[in-house]
Amino acid sequence: MKSVQISFFVLVLTIFRVRNSRCDSPLVLDYYKETCPHLEEMVQRIVEIAVLEDPRMAASLLRLHFHDCFVMGCDASVLLDDFGNVISEKEAGPNLNSLRGFEVIDEIKYVVEESCPATVSCADIITIAARDSVVLRGGPGWDVLLGRRDSLTASFNGANQFIPAPNSTLDSLIANFQQQGLDTGDLVALSGSHTLGKARCLSFRQRIYDYNSEEKYGYHERDEEYLSALRSLCPRSGRDNTLAPLDLKTPARFDNHYFINIIEGRGLLISDNVLVDQGLQWEIRKHVFAYASNQEYFFDSFVNSMIKMGNVNVLTGNKGEIRKNCRFVNSYTI
């Protein structure tokens, strides 16, 4: 009886958190119900084809959403190419030769414009595509709140400043997330997106050759066999673009094995391993161990944090615009 009561309490708490994350949002469900009723079907179909052709694309589209929201908010600024005096965020350190999925968004936008011209924002397309990517890899689904508009500019400097680096310390990660109005619970849940995808040698070289990493960064396990395998892929110099999976156990499936990996010292990035820091951030480690032991709890938390992140500094009403081409503001393409 006691376990039933606890389960019921967890369910009620989860529902409350999700509803609470939506209550102050300027976004709504079914925003395009009248103006573009088949939007989500169109997005899903193209994302499904893209992921079938390239399974890694699921992680790339999800990452595209993160990198968009962490710079000026979820406004599709990350999609803009250079124009006028504006330097594209694609040229920033965290994105250059790394961020992918732009062509998939272009294809979605083209199809959507054919059916619903000048109606659907690129920012909403990115958000829906991220959700569909998670679902296609076995992760949870959720109703996407819509009504975002697209930015009129980009922030090259913001991309360099606010997107968390793969070698971030725990304090840096916490500060990056707080800058977006996200707390430590969101930090851990959203880090779980590293259950998908791959990273370049350039991003994890410091993790495998910094022999003082335990003392410097505070994580508590060191899997020598795993490190040896990574060193064979990624030498001290050269082969910068060689890829390794972020999740060693189930790299193509969205599940909770990422958290099991970092507990065992098999996180690929320094920013993964610092989540099990033995220092003062016990609250963070508590989330990691909870998600490692309960996938459903991780899924619920991830959904809640994705909805929350998707609300960061969105443009609505008369702010911004609905771009005709996601790579350029409308005034530039006329």
Side-chain angles (χ1 to χ4, degrees), residues 101-119:
F102 300 109
E103 293 80 8
V104 177
I105 300 299
D106 288 340
E107 183 177 356
I108 295 171
K109 181 62 171 174
Y110 175 81
V111 171
V112 170
E113 282 294 309
E114 287 290 302
S115 298
C116 318
T119 300

Side-chain angles (χ1 to χ4, degrees), residues 70-144:
F70 268 70
V71 182
M72 304 199 311
C74 307
D75 59 2
S77 62
V78 72
L79 301 180
L80 289 171
D81 287 344
D82 293 342
F83 70 94
N85 294 322
V86 175
I87 303 175
S88 172
E89 292 171 21
K90 299 173 185 178
E91 305 297 319
N95 299 333
L96 185 63
N97 300 322
S98 174
L99 207 57
R100 305 167 71 238
F102 300 109
E103 293 80 8
V104 177
I105 300 299
D106 288 340
E107 183 177 356
I108 295 171
K109 181 62 171 174
Y110 175 81
V111 171
V112 170
E113 282 294 309
E114 287 290 302
S115 298
C116 318
T119 300
V120 180
S121 70
C122 302
D124 277 343
I125 288 174
I126 297 176
T127 309
I128 298 170
R131 186 273 313 275
D132 291 346
S133 296
V134 171
V135 173
L136 286 168
R137 295 288 89 190
W142 62 93
D143 293 329
V144 176

Side-chain angles (χ1 to χ4, degrees), residues 307-326:
I307 294 171
K308 186 175 176 181
M309 184 186 73
N311 282 319
V312 170
N313 294 330
V314 294
L315 302 175
T316 58
N318 294 321
K319 297 178 180 178
E321 66 180 8
I322 304 297
R323 287 186 214 142
K324 298 175 184 177
N325 181 329
C326 292

Side-chain angles (χ1 to χ4, degrees), residues 11-314:
L11 176 62
V12 171
L13 180 60
T14 300
I15 293 173
F16 171 78
R17 290 182 68 200
V18 172
R19 286 180 175 174
N20 189 55
S21 71
R22 297 175 179 175
C23 64
D24 296 326
S25 172
L27 309 176
V28 297
L29 295 173
D30 298 324
Y31 182 82
Y32 300 105
K33 184 177 182 180
E34 301 296 331
T35 57
C36 196
H38 301 295
L39 169 63
E40 296 199 34
E41 297 170 27
M42 290 186 280
V43 175
Q44 181 184 22
R45 183 171 67 251
I46 295 172
V47 171
E48 188 171 3
I49 293 171
V51 172
L52 184 64
E53 293 177 346
D54 176 8
R56 186 181 163 214
M57 186 55 66
S60 298
L61 291 171
L62 180 57
R63 185 167 178 248
L64 192 60
H65 183 42
F66 277 75
H67 283 221
D68 181 40
C69 292
F70 268 70
V71 182
M72 304 199 311
C74 307
D75 59 2
S77 62
V78 72
L79 301 180
L80 289 171
D81 287 344
D82 293 342
F83 70 94
N85 294 322
V86 175
I87 303 175
S88 172
E89 292 171 21
K90 299 173 185 178
E91 305 297 319
N95 299 333
L96 185 63
N97 300 322
S98 174
L99 207 57
R100 305 167 71 238
F102 300 109
E103 293 80 8
V104 177
I105 300 299
D106 288 340
E107 183 177 356
I108 295 171
K109 181 62 171 174
Y110 175 81
V111 171
V112 170
E113 282 294 309
E114 287 290 302
S115 298
C116 318
T119 300
V120 180
S121 70
C122 302
D124 277 343
I125 288 174
I126 297 176
T127 309
I128 298 170
R131 186 273 313 275
D132 291 346
S133 296
V134 171
V135 173
L136 286 168
R137 295 288 89 190
W142 62 93
D143 293 329
V144 176
L145 299 171
L146 300 168
R148 298 167 189 79
R149 288 170 66 85
D150 300 322
S151 70
L152 299 173
T153 188
S155 178
F156 171 83
N157 291 333
N160 281 319
Q161 181 178 357
F162 298 121
I163 296 173
N167 298 323
S168 294
T169 64
L170 185 58
D171 287 342
S172 295
L173 288 174
I174 292 171
N176 280 135
F177 276 72
Q178 285 179 340
Q179 184 75 29
Q180 313 306 325
L182 302 172
D183 58 30
T184 54
D186 300 313
L187 164 60
V188 182
L190 294 174
S191 293
S193 64
H194 283 183
T195 184
L196 294 177
K198 298 179 180 181
R200 296 185 298 163
C201 166
L202 187 66
S203 296
F204 61 84
R205 178 176 284 123
Q206 184 178 345
R207 182 261 195 269
I208 57 177
Y209 292 108
D210 182 354
Y211 291 103
N212 297 318
S213 55
E214 289 93 339
E215 178 182 349
K216 182 176 180 180
Y217 294 102
Y219 49 86
H220 70 303
E221 292 288 347
R222 184 181 178 95
D223 187 315
E224 291 296 340
E225 183 178 348
Y226 179 55
L227 289 176
S228 178
L230 291 178
R231 289 177 188 134
S232 69
L233 289 173
C234 179
R236 288 184 179 273
S237 62
R239 300 174 66 178
D240 287 354
N241 292 321
T242 300
L243 300 173
L246 288 161
D247 180 344
L248 177 67
K249 295 184 178 180
T250 54
R253 184 165 183 81
F254 194 99
D255 55 26
N256 68 334
H257 277 110
Y258 163 80
F259 297 103
I260 298 171
N261 290 336
I262 60 176
I263 289 172
E264 295 175 348
R266 295 178 181 175
L268 182 63
L269 308 177
I270 286 176
S271 59
D272 296 326
N273 291 285
V274 295
L275 297 181
V276 286
D277 190 317
Q278 288 189 346
L280 300 176
Q281 296 296 335
W282 166 243
E283 186 69 23
I284 290 178
R285 295 184 70 234
K286 184 169 66 175
H287 282 300
V288 171
F289 281 85
Y291 296 155
S293 62
N294 189 330
Q295 180 168 279
E296 185 177 352
Y297 178 46
F298 162 52
F299 280 6
D300 288 342
S301 299
F302 180 80
V303 166
N304 182 57
S305 294
M306 283 294 288
I307 294 171
K308 186 175 176 181
M309 184 186 73
N311 282 319
V312 170
N313 294 330
V314 294

